[in-house]
Amino acid sequence: MIPQKTPKPKERGRLIVLSFLSALVCAAYILNLMNFQIVRGSEFQAQTQQLTVSKIAVKAARGEIVDCNGAALAENKVGFNIVFYYSFFPKAQQNRIISGLIGILEKNGENWYDPLPLTMEADPSFEADRDKDIETLRNKLGVNVYATASDCMYNLRELFGIDDSYDDLTARKIAGVRYGMVLADFSVNNNQYAFAEDVSTDTALLIKETSHLLPGVDIVDEDIRTYPQGGVAPHIVGVIGKMYAEEYYSTTDSEGNVLTEGYKDKGYKMDSLVGKMGVEQLMEAELHGVDGVKTVEQSKDGTIISEEVTTAPESGNNVVLTIDSAFQKKVQDILEAHILMLRERESDKDGDHGNKAEGGSIVVLDSKTGGILAAATYPSYDLNDYFSNYASIRDADFAPLNNRAFNGLYRPGSTFKTAVAAGALQEGIITPSETVNCQRVYRYYDILPGNQFRPTCLGYHGATNVMKALTVSCNIFFYDVGRRLGTEKMQEYAHLLGLGASTGVELNESIGGISGPQRSENLGKTWVQGDICQAAIGQMDTNVTPLQMAVQAMTLANKGTRYQAHLIKEVRSYDDSTVLSTTPATVLSEFPMTDETFEAIKEGMIGAAARVPAPYQLTDLGYDVALKTGTPQKNNTEFHSAAIAFAPADNADIAISVMLELGDNANYLIRQILDAYYGTGSSPEPTEEETVSSALPE
């Protein structure tokens, strides 16, 4: 056994001192704890109860819209927004605070959100073209449908406690902001309200400096939507804006079944910005992202104790279009320049020669996928002016808001003859070598007693086969062949080529229709047997869109294979690291076009291309171009100008359609479009002598 050592007196003293000090420290902690929990417990409990904890949305970055090469069409920039926080925004002082903010913004030339459909006047009236908003206002106020603007303003002042200390104009301004807060459901559940967006740095600093006078008001850094190429494809890109109350809530039928799902059920806040049209609206679910949450603790006197992002926001996804923005811009410029040139021409004894041109459209498709490379409409507008100058855009001549490429309906004129040729050749009605004798007047119906129907051609073409008929656009040939083909087969092949049928494009499109007995009956007309002759040359009641005409050209180029037209190339993650989805080339319909049929139609269209004069000629490009023109009637005295084409003719890369309203020489644009696509040559400057031609229907 090991013997134990006895501690020395010096070591024993140290142990006693350390034990004593430890006891003192423990006693101090115990006394302090008693002070917190027993002596001052009620005081600290009261302080704790005076803290306000708020959940504030942290906006997610909206995904970008880019072209096929990654060039931005809709992107984000960081801007300063003025926001109200419900929990800290004193009800009794709201009118004073809002009036002060409006004064600051007006002094600095800034705008604020005001959805009230009343003019900004001391004695306001209802704003024009806002019937739906006016109806919503009356419903919110609980007034009858006959309530005037003055009645509404009176009720707004009463509702929001805007007393006589505010003059009428100031009252109108305050009412607009307060009404916006109502529409946004500004409440405990929707704690943040955007009063003004993208204000200047000077305005933001001034509000920060005077924050002690503006409780519940803050400046936040948020992403602001911008359109760096606002004039490029605005009808396709679209815009975002405040949602309507009707969009926020789901609609149901009498049995409670959801007819339209509202944004509320999708997890949106009432003040969220959403796509209002175009791809911004179409791809809202991909672009929007998921907002995060910031938890804020604030003392009774308004001092922020702590703030923390407790749920991180999730950015939206990027949407990549099939559009090539540089090519789109060139196509838009080509279309605009031609129409402006037409308007400058003078009338002469032969007619107006397109100098009353109102507008037009060009569509270019990737022949191998159906992807839309360009879809130009003229006149057009800039997305950056859409909200700030909407009334001027809306009221401008020739309806620039109209997407003529997808929604404009026109007779196709002689471009339709390719559909008749395809049907007749495929069905064995004619052979490529079979001829019809054109002596300018079609006399087939003279077999009927007292016949007066003798449609005509523009020339005497003699013995004409299908190739020559397409080259010279012989009406007599197609009157006869169309009659023999019949309306049902004519409609069938028109639909197979994409005319009068859905193209499958993701945005809203018009469908139109192809002439026939049932269509005439639906339109309240009577079909007579001679009408098939006019139908065969693209007149009568046939109405198609420029997009459908481009699909027609693509399907001819593909020997009967019709791809779905599409704008969305793919969806990518916000950081572009991952491709989330891709739009494949999808076949909508196909028919087994024989080589004999294709060669006959192609040869006839190449012949038509060879007739285009210099400097717009299509014969020196190093490849063949297949072209068909048309002069569709708007009415008995006015005509449009149309063209479809594909190139190279043997193995097409692109398919093109051109439609000029009351225009002329659509075929002159084909070379310019090809040069823009392939990066060859330069667009020729037109002269009046080169462009004057007879405006007669082909």
Side-chain angles (χ1 to χ4, degrees):
M1 182 175 180
I2 301 174
Q4 298 289 327
K5 292 184 178 180
T6 304
K8 296 178 180 179
K10 189 174 183 180
E11 292 177 348
R12 186 181 298 113
R14 288 177 180 172
L15 288 172
I16 294 171
V17 171
L18 286 173
S19 299
F20 179 73
L21 290 175
S22 297
L24 283 178
V25 170
C26 289
Y29 273 111
I30 291 171
L31 289 173
N32 207 28
L33 185 61
M34 292 176 62
N35 181 50
F36 283 142
Q37 291 187 338
I38 300 174
V39 179
R40 300 181 61 191
S42 57
E43 176 187 348
F44 287 119
Q45 183 179 16
Q47 289 181 8
T48 301
Q49 291 173 345
Q50 290 175 2
L51 287 178
T52 300
V53 179
S54 299
K55 304 289 186 181
I56 298 172
V58 179
K59 300 291 185 182
R62 190 173 179 85
E64 297 185 346
I65 301 173
V66 300
D67 79 349
C68 62
N69 298 311
L73 295 168
E75 62 181 1
N76 306 312
K77 71 171 185 178
V78 177
F80 297 119
N81 289 354
I82 305 174
V83 299
F84 301 159
Y85 292 135
Y86 183 84
S87 301
F88 315 133
F89 199 43
K91 290 183 174 59
Q93 300 181 50
Q94 287 182 5
N95 292 337
R96 176 192 66 78
I97 294 170
I98 291 169
S99 177
L101 286 170
I102 289 173
I104 293 173
L105 265 62
E106 286 184 326
K107 182 178 180 180
N108 290 359
E110 308 270 15
N111 297 314
W112 63 92
Y113 179 55
D114 185 332
L116 196 58
L118 301 176
T119 56
M120 195 66 73
E121 300 170 313
D123 184 17
S125 56
F126 288 127
E127 291 186 340
D129 300 321
R130 296 191 64 182
D131 293 345
K132 186 176 181 180
D133 296 330
I134 294 167
E135 180 185 357
T136 299
L137 172 62
R138 287 170 171 153
N139 289 336
K140 291 288 185 185
L141 294 175
V143 298
N144 63 51
V145 296
Y146 304 108
T148 65
S150 296
D151 294 333
C152 291
M153 191 61 223
Y154 174 82
N155 280 272
L156 287 165
R157 292 191 73 144
E158 289 289 312
L159 176 65
F160 299 132
I162 307 173
D163 58 38
D164 292 339
S165 65
Y166 298 101
D167 62 70
D168 290 340
L169 181 55
T170 302
R172 160 63 189 87
K173 295 172 183 176
I174 295 172
V177 177
R178 295 292 301 272
Y179 181 65
M181 293 158 62
V182 170
L183 290 183
D185 189 27
F186 185 48
S187 62
V188 173
N189 295 324
N190 290 288
N191 188 50
Q192 183 174 317
Y193 174 76
F195 164 69
E197 297 180 339
D198 199 20
V199 300
S200 66
T201 303
D202 289 343
T203 298
L205 289 174
L206 181 58
I207 290 173
K208 280 288 189 183
E209 290 169 1
T210 57
S211 60
H212 61 287
L213 301 174
L214 303 170
V217 179
D218 197 8
I219 299 294
V220 297
D221 298 344
E222 290 191 351
D223 288 327
I224 306 297
R225 200 60 160 177
T226 64
Y227 301 96
Q229 303 183 71
V232 173
H235 303 85
I236 291 172
V237 176
V239 294
I240 63 172
K242 297 277 188 180
M243 72 174 74
Y244 301 119
E246 293 81 1
E247 296 176 295
Y248 186 59
Y249 298 104
S250 298
T251 59
T252 58
D253 60 18
S254 58
E255 298 179 355
N257 299 312
V258 176
L259 300 175
T260 305
E261 187 180 16
Y263 284 117
K264 180 180 181 181
D265 293 338
K266 298 176 183 178
Y268 284 58
K269 296 295 185 182
M270 191 106 178
D271 65 343
S272 298
L273 296 175
V274 296
K276 307 302 287 186
M277 64 180 192
V279 174
E280 289 277 32
Q281 182 181 47
L282 170 73
M283 303 299 288
E284 172 64 30
E286 293 287 353
L287 292 165
H288 184 73
V290 180
D291 290 347
V293 177
K294 180 169 67 174
T295 301
V296 178
E297 287 187 337
Q298 192 174 31
S299 65
K300 185 178 181 180
D301 64 2
T303 302
I304 293 177
I305 305 301
S306 67
E307 53 183 331
E308 178 186 3
V309 176
T310 48
T311 303
E314 299 176 20
S315 300
N317 299 319
N318 294 336
V319 174
V320 183
L321 304 186
T322 57
I323 294 283
D324 181 327
S325 60
F327 179 55
Q328 169 80 24
K329 179 64 167 60
K330 291 177 182 178
V331 170
Q332 289 180 195
D333 291 345
I334 290 167
L335 178 63
E336 178 179 8
H338 187 78
I339 290 174
L340 293 180
M341 178 276 297
L342 290 175
R343 291 179 184 175
E344 293 174 357
R345 292 185 346 193
E346 296 182 0
S347 300
D348 62 22
K349 63 181 180 179
D350 294 323
D352 294 327
H353 300 305
N355 60 8
K356 293 183 179 179
E358 294 181 350
S361 175
I362 297 173
V363 178
V364 184
L365 300 179
D366 182 330
S367 291
K368 294 176 172 59
T369 66
I372 298 173
L373 304 176
T377 284
Y378 183 82
S380 188
Y381 62 97
D382 192 308
L383 287 172
N384 295 301
D385 299 330
Y386 183 79
F387 287 112
S388 62
N389 202 22
Y390 176 79
S392 296
I393 297 172
R394 179 198 62 207
D395 299 334
D397 291 340
F398 310 125
L401 290 172
N402 181 23
N403 184 355
R404 288 166 162 83
F406 294 178
N407 298 117
L409 286 172
Y410 311 90
R411 290 168 172 164
S414 291
T415 62
F416 188 78
K417 292 173 181 176
T418 57
V420 176
L425 288 165
Q426 286 292 114
E427 295 297 321
I429 303 298
I430 59 171
T431 65
S433 59
E434 183 178 341
T435 63
V436 172
N437 186 23
C438 170
Q439 295 300 316
R440 192 174 179 278
V441 179
Y442 189 57
R443 297 185 178 276
Y444 172 81
Y445 292 101
D446 282 351
I447 60 176
L448 301 175
N451 175 63
Q452 298 296 315
F453 178 65
R454 298 185 182 93
T456 61
C457 189
L458 295 179
Y460 295 85
H461 300 117
T464 303
N465 62 20
V466 66
M467 289 80 76
K468 180 180 177 182
L470 288 170
T471 294
V472 301
S473 203
C474 177
N475 285 348
I476 300 299
F477 180 91
F478 286 101
Y479 292 152
D480 196 62
V481 172
R483 175 188 60 78
R484 291 151 60 189
L485 180 63
T487 57
E488 290 186 5
K489 285 295 180 181
M490 190 183 301
Q491 290 174 332
E492 177 185 339
Y493 280 91
H495 290 153
L496 286 170
L497 290 170
L499 299 174
S502 172
T503 68
V505 69
E506 299 93 336
L507 297 182
N508 176 60
E509 64 171 332
S510 298
I511 302 302
I514 307 300
S515 297
Q518 187 60 55
R519 182 164 172 77
S520 288
E521 182 180 334
N522 293 343
L523 294 172
K525 300 178 181 180
T526 300
W527 176 272
V528 297
Q529 59 181 332
D531 287 345
I532 195 170
C533 294
Q534 293 301 317
I537 63 169
Q539 305 294 353
M540 282 294 292
D541 300 318
T542 296
N543 289 113
V544 299
T545 66
L547 175 57
Q548 290 176 353
M549 293 170 66
V551 169
Q552 172 193 6
M554 173 187 67
T555 309
L556 289 170
N558 292 333
K559 299 182 181 181
T561 298
R562 176 167 67 105
Y563 290 112
Q564 175 183 338
H566 61 278
L567 284 163
I568 308 302
K569 179 181 179 182
E570 60 190 19
V571 176
R572 305 180 69 95
S573 59
Y574 190 74
D575 61 2
D576 272 338
S577 63
T578 307
V579 176
L580 303 174
S581 66
T582 300
T583 303
T586 303
V587 175
L588 289 185
S589 68
E590 55 187 335
F591 63 96
M593 182 185 289
T594 66
D595 291 342
E596 185 179 54
T597 296
F598 176 72
E599 290 300 324
I601 293 173
K602 183 186 74 172
E603 182 180 333
M605 294 179 72
I606 291 174
R611 294 163 63 90
V612 180
Y616 309 100
Q617 71 272 12
L618 299 169
T619 53
D620 62 346
L621 296 170
Y623 53 86
D624 288 327
V625 178
L627 169 73
K628 186 69 194 80
T629 60
T631 312
Q633 289 179 290
K634 179 181 180 182
N635 51 48
N636 290 334
T637 59
E638 295 179 307
F639 306 92
H640 301 320
S641 180
I644 61 172
F646 57 87
D650 289 324
N651 184 20
D653 294 323
I654 60 172
I656 303 168
S657 73
V658 181
M659 179 63 71
L660 303 175
E661 296 175 3
L662 304 185
D664 200 9
N665 304 118
N667 55 344
Y668 288 6
L669 302 183
I670 301 300
R671 180 181 184 124
Q672 299 175 62
I673 296 166
L674 292 171
D675 282 342
Y677 179 75
Y678 288 111
T680 56
S682 59
S683 297
E685 293 294 329
T687 66
E688 186 164 334
E689 291 74 17
E690 291 167 343
T691 54
V692 171
S693 67
S694 178
L696 294 175
E698 294 184 60

